[in-house]
Amino acid sequence: MSIAQNTETTAKLRCIACGSTPDSAAQDFRCTACGDLLEFFFSGWTFDPAALKALWLSRRASCNLLDQSGVWRFRELLPHISEEHAITLGEGNTPLYHLPLCARAAGVENLRAKHQGMNPTASFKDTGMTFAASSAHERNFRWVACASTGNTSASMAAYAARGNMHSLVLIPEGKISWGKLSQALDYGALTCQLRTDFDGCVRILNDLVRQKPVCLLNSVNPYRIEGQKTAAIELMEQLAWEPPDHIIVPGGNLGNSSAIGKALLEMRDLKLISRLPKLSIIQAQGANPFYRSVREFGGKKLEPMTADTLATAIRIGNPASWKKALRVLQATGGEVEQVTEVEIAAAKAEIGADGIGCEPASAVTLAGLKKLRQSGFVKAGESVVLILTGHLLKDPDFTIKFHRGELLAETPAETASAQAKSLQRAPVVLDANLGAVIAALDAAERNS
Ligand code: F0G
């Protein structure tokens, strides 16, 4: 299959607040007129939906690397980037799993998870990073940079390495998991652990990119959002273009919810799908500025906060893309929820018990679904897809502490024990003899 690039379509940048349409973006990807975020919009889209679906499906059988990527396969709905600049690790193409035990726990009949942790660097960031790193390469950048709670840095470092670019990572000291930090180091990033939080890292990076010729690869970069749209397109293809009633995503910096929502709206406009799923966004209670913005201020403003949660990926107090996320929340009729540390830990263990697993930030989706069921927003008979954003092995510390009963030590014991105890599977330390192992097996059988 030849690479028919999308040359008739024009992709232009537009400010989400004042609507100005610059020919190119400034280094910080902010509107030079009003300082708000930019997004891509498309003109000249005249696709036959059935032909487009058939073309995308046919590429699955192609030997071409770009056709095989779960991002570049959908390039008709993305801005144009020349093929010779494309940096791909075969991202996307992630599985959609049924979660029968979680469905029972949440009280819904039809629950599935699209596992974006099954990407090359084990998080959803790769779908945006392949596209944004390629655009940096096309624009001849030697250096790319990001502030990160860990996954963005791991992904950026990998794609920079594959594209022969240097990468600079700013991360909060002590507040990212070892798995993620070790990835950035192995992929060769210049990794700076700053004595601040994620929001502090973002502030410094924004100042840096105004002074140095480095390409900013955080999700304010609209190429990131375009690449991340493909998770929703691929999901619809996996569902034979029959949308679920609900899609539930974690909310941190709010780039991912914006991207998935943008894709849903575009697919609806192009008649690739006939109706919109409701897109709901879940935050950790200790890092809930968007929840508070919607619930307390009707989305009129967002008050930054000092964030704190053991789900370090979403430990973010001043989310950059909150206005984009608000727009898709309203356009799809979704809801916003917050969940506690105990609820996150229990949900993570439940996703694990379905033989899937994920990192803590991803588990807010199941914890949030339970709340949305309780409030009646999600009905028992409705179909739900959770977007799991990161792999279980990203944060083994959290998992081991949870199963040993050490994670929630500072949480009021009763709630912690009621919700979490039955899910804990601490390793059993035994003398090295057969009798001890048989006794452990018999005891486990009696309790099962
Ligand atoms: N889940 C995981 C595993 C994440 O790493 C992130 C964000 C999110 C959810 C939230 O997505 O920011 O688009 O709302 N991680 C970023 C990082 C901030 O630096 O890796 P979002």
Side-chain angles (χ1 to χ4, degrees):
M1 174 75 50
S2 72
I3 309 263
Q5 281 276 10
N6 189 18
T7 44
E8 296 94 50
T9 303
T10 325
K12 285 207 60 138
L13 290 167
R14 175 172 62 197
C15 172
I16 60 164
C18 73
S20 63
T21 54
D23 286 334
S24 63
Q27 286 270 108
D28 61 359
F29 291 103
R30 297 263 167 190
C31 172
T32 45
C34 77
D36 222 314
L37 296 186
L38 302 175
E39 66 177 353
F40 277 108
F41 75 101
F42 298 85
S43 52
W45 265 353
T46 49
F47 296 118
D48 169 1
L52 203 50
K53 290 174 187 176
L55 173 67
W56 290 339
L57 206 55
S58 74
R59 285 184 181 148
R60 277 183 180 276
S62 161
C63 293
N64 183 294
L65 281 182
L66 287 196
D67 285 349
Q68 287 172 6
S69 158
V71 172
W72 297 86
R73 198 156 71 80
F74 301 108
R75 55 192 170 274
E76 281 72 18
L77 300 199
L78 306 178
H80 179 81
I81 292 179
S82 315
E83 193 184 334
E84 76 255 31
H85 293 290
I87 308 165
T88 177
L89 284 164
E91 52 289 317
N93 298 315
T94 57
L96 182 65
Y97 298 118
H98 277 288
L99 297 179
L101 296 181
C102 295
R104 218 171 302 146
V108 290
E109 284 152 28
N110 182 352
L111 178 62
R112 279 177 276 198
K114 179 144 179 75
H115 207 325
Q116 294 298 93
M118 300 298 183
N119 267 293
T121 76
S123 87
F124 73 103
K125 304 287 181 182
D126 294 343
T127 55
M129 205 53 78
T130 179
F131 208 61
S134 300
S135 90
H137 194 269
E138 188 173 48
R139 286 175 294 143
N140 285 319
F141 277 99
R142 266 173 62 74
W143 280 88
V144 292
C146 71
S148 179
T149 56
N151 279 325
T152 301
S153 50
S155 180
M156 182 189 75
Y159 282 87
R162 299 296 299 174
N164 281 319
M165 295 182 289
H166 300 290
S167 61
L168 167 68
V169 161
L170 303 186
I171 48 173
E173 196 201 8
K175 294 293 180 190
I176 82 166
S177 73
W178 292 116
K180 299 171 191 179
L181 177 59
S182 58
Q183 284 181 291
L185 301 181
D186 236 30
Y187 300 140
L190 167 58
T191 304
C192 302
Q193 295 185 268
L194 304 187
R195 290 187 198 94
T196 178
D197 54 13
F198 169 80
D199 302 292
C201 292
V202 169
R203 278 194 295 277
I204 290 178
L205 185 63
N206 279 333
D207 290 342
L208 178 86
V209 297
R210 290 186 198 111
Q211 291 190 24
K212 288 286 186 185
V214 299
C215 184
L216 175 66
L217 288 188
N218 278 88
S219 57
V220 295
N221 180 328
Y223 287 94
R224 282 273 311 277
I225 302 293
E226 291 302 305
Q228 282 175 217
K229 282 187 336 192
T230 57
I233 307 173
E234 187 178 273
L235 170 64
M236 293 306 141
E237 186 184 64
Q238 286 168 311
L239 294 170
W241 303 98
E242 194 48 58
D245 297 305
H246 296 273
I247 297 178
I248 302 184
V249 292
N253 215 18
L254 297 170
N256 200 34
S257 32
S258 307
I260 288 176
K262 187 172 193 279
L264 293 173
L265 295 168
E266 289 175 358
M267 284 189 282
R268 195 258 327 256
D269 291 348
L270 285 168
K271 301 198 166 34
L272 290 162
I273 53 175
S274 56
R275 63 187 173 86
L276 286 175
K278 294 187 173 78
L279 182 68
S280 292
I281 302 171
I282 317 296
Q283 294 207 293
Q285 198 169 304
N288 64 353
F290 186 62
Y291 171 85
R292 286 180 36 235
S293 165
V294 175
R295 294 287 179 104
E296 289 173 27
F297 310 120
K300 298 241 167 0
K301 63 169 181 172
L302 180 132
E303 272 185 4
M305 65 185 289
T306 303
D308 200 15
T309 168
L310 293 170
T312 52
I314 50 173
R315 196 170 178 274
I316 295 173
N318 189 13
S321 295
W322 73 273
K323 287 185 194 163
K324 288 186 180 180
L326 180 69
R327 220 172 40 182
V328 301
L329 195 77
Q330 290 169 342
T332 67
E335 185 56 285
V336 58
E337 252 310 343
Q338 63 173 357
V339 291
T340 65
E341 299 294 296
V342 177
E343 288 165 345
I344 295 170
K348 187 175 117 51
E350 283 169 330
I351 294 167
D354 252 327
I356 304 297
C358 63
E359 71 162 282
S362 309
V364 302
T365 54
L366 177 62
L369 169 62
K370 290 182 192 169
K371 291 209 154 157
L372 296 175
R373 269 293 291 131
Q374 281 157 18
S375 72
F377 181 75
V378 175
K379 314 268 181 308
E382 289 183 319
S383 55
V384 182
V385 174
L386 309 179
I387 307 292
L388 301 182
T389 44
H391 198 280
L392 169 67
L393 294 177
K394 282 281 191 174
D395 194 351
D397 247 23
F398 181 110
T399 310
I400 290 170
K401 281 188 183 149
F402 171 79
H403 287 288
R404 285 192 171 142
E406 295 160 5
L407 184 74
L408 304 164
E410 280 152 35
T411 313
E414 270 176 48
T415 13
S417 61
Q419 285 198 34
K421 274 264 162 55
S422 66
L423 294 156
Q424 286 167 352
R425 301 279 178 271
V428 187
V429 182
L430 301 171
D431 287 333
N433 70 61
L434 180 62
V437 176
I438 288 178
L441 182 64
D442 290 344
E445 175 60 24
R446 276 194 303 279
N447 293 332
S448 66

